Amino acid sequence: KNQVEQSPQSLIILEGKNCTLQCNYTVSPFSNLRWYKQDTGRGPVSLTIMTFSENTKSNGRYTATLDADTKQSSLHITASQLSDSASYICVVSAGLSGGYQKVTFGTGTKLQVIP
Amino acid sequence: NAGVMQNPRHLVRRRGQEARLRCSPMKGHSHVYWYRQLPEEGLKFMVYLQKENIIDESGMPKERFSAEFPKEGPSILRIQQVVRGDSAAYFCASSPPIGQEKTTNTEAFFGQGTRLTVV
């Protein structure tokens, strides 16, 4: 069964500090892994997307890593800002026959940045 | 190029009524996904559709829920005889046609969601 597990469930950090969120998955056959940011009451917004051959990708202060061997990904946030307070969701896609993709969502990590 | 458009943004229904949620994908996107998010919970996959086809409906409740994505017009998620437990945010995402390469990095874009409240 395809699963995506994220840790921690929630995290509180001081403004300006760094943090790392984890994502472990058992999705097969792997197609891609995406990190989304979801502000309260809004739709998720894509931060990064990585395929099998990519092991790191940055988007501003966000850096995602992927280890396809251990099936782990992390999202590192540098110099956190109050606006980083949100849920961060790891999403893994499996390739189905016919070129379709099956998407499995993690339950997210709720990050709160405090002044 | 407008993003994924969902309407209405907020919908209130009495128990037993029908709810219709609409999703217009981004221009050029032929794949639509529907998700449900209960308060304080993560997104749960419901159904994956291509134009006129249901690709995967493994997340759809067996009764009262249906989805379609006609050749013309938006995708519709329909909930018949709503109950209080159906109150949630319903999100739609769309993606472009996916090629035969299974490791494609196709992006999926989300709408802002429809918040359904059943009273």
Side-chain angles (χ1 to χ4, degrees):
Chain A
K1 184 183 175 185
N2 290 339
Q3 285 188 312
V4 177
E5 294 183 352
Q6 291 188 244
S7 62
Q9 274 192 317
S10 61
L11 183 62
I12 301 175
I13 62 173
L14 290 173
E15 187 180 9
K17 297 294 187 186
N18 304 335
C19 67
T20 301
L21 315 179
Q22 300 291 344
C23 172
N24 296 340
Y25 62 91
T26 55
V27 172
S28 181
F30 177 84
S31 178
N32 62 67
L33 184 146
R34 291 169 269 178
W35 282 94
Y36 284 88
K37 178 186 178 188
Q38 185 178 22
D39 292 309
T40 301
R42 312 276 293 182
V45 174
S46 179
L47 295 174
T48 63
I49 179 168
M50 289 182 289
T51 58
F52 185 87
S53 58
E54 297 170 297
N55 55 23
T56 187
K57 187 163 275 190
S58 291
N59 177 1
R61 295 179 296 102
Y62 301 102
T63 299
T65 64
L66 173 65
D67 185 333
D69 291 329
T70 61
K71 299 188 177 181
Q72 295 178 328
S73 176
S74 65
L75 180 70
H76 186 74
I77 304 174
T78 305
S80 61
Q81 300 176 358
L82 297 177
S83 58
D84 293 331
S85 296
S87 288
Y88 291 84
I89 307 167
C90 176
V91 182
V92 185
S93 294
L96 304 176
S97 58
Y100 302 116
Q101 294 194 356
K102 173 140 185 152
V103 179
T104 304
F105 275 69
T107 52
T109 292
K110 197 163 187 176
L111 174 66
Q112 188 178 355
V113 180
I114 59 176
Chain B
N1 185 10
V4 178
M5 303 300 291
Q6 288 188 249
N7 67 81
R9 288 294 308 277
H10 301 274
L11 181 62
V12 179
R13 284 287 178 267
R14 295 187 189 281
R15 279 180 295 172
Q17 290 185 318
E18 178 179 286
R20 279 187 179 234
L21 288 61
R22 293 175 188 76
C23 170
S24 296
M26 287 181 70
K27 188 177 180 182
H29 286 193
S30 56
H31 295 247
V32 164
Y33 309 77
W34 283 95
Y35 300 89
R36 176 164 63 176
Q37 188 171 37
L38 295 169
E40 301 301 318
E41 292 191 13
L43 286 150
K44 293 283 194 310
F45 168 78
M46 298 182 75
V47 63
Y48 170 21
L49 308 116
Q50 193 193 19
K51 288 274 187 184
E52 300 185 281
N53 277 321
I54 295 176
I55 306 302
D56 181 354
E57 57 181 346
S58 57
M60 284 280 270
K62 293 286 184 279
E63 296 175 350
R64 302 187 298 107
F65 284 72
S66 62
E68 62 176 8
F69 189 15
K71 189 176 180 181
E72 301 292 335
S75 175
I76 306 285
L77 178 67
R78 184 178 172 211
I79 311 172
Q80 294 178 291
Q81 299 175 324
V82 296
V83 301
R84 287 230 171 100
D86 296 332
S87 296
Y90 292 82
F91 289 95
C92 163
S94 74
S95 65
I98 297 169
Q100 294 304 309
E101 176 54 59
K102 290 186 174 57
T103 57
T104 182
N105 59 353
T106 305
E107 191 63 71
F109 296 88
F110 281 82
Q112 293 302 318
T114 293
R115 273 143 195 86
L116 172 66
T117 303
V118 179
V119 297

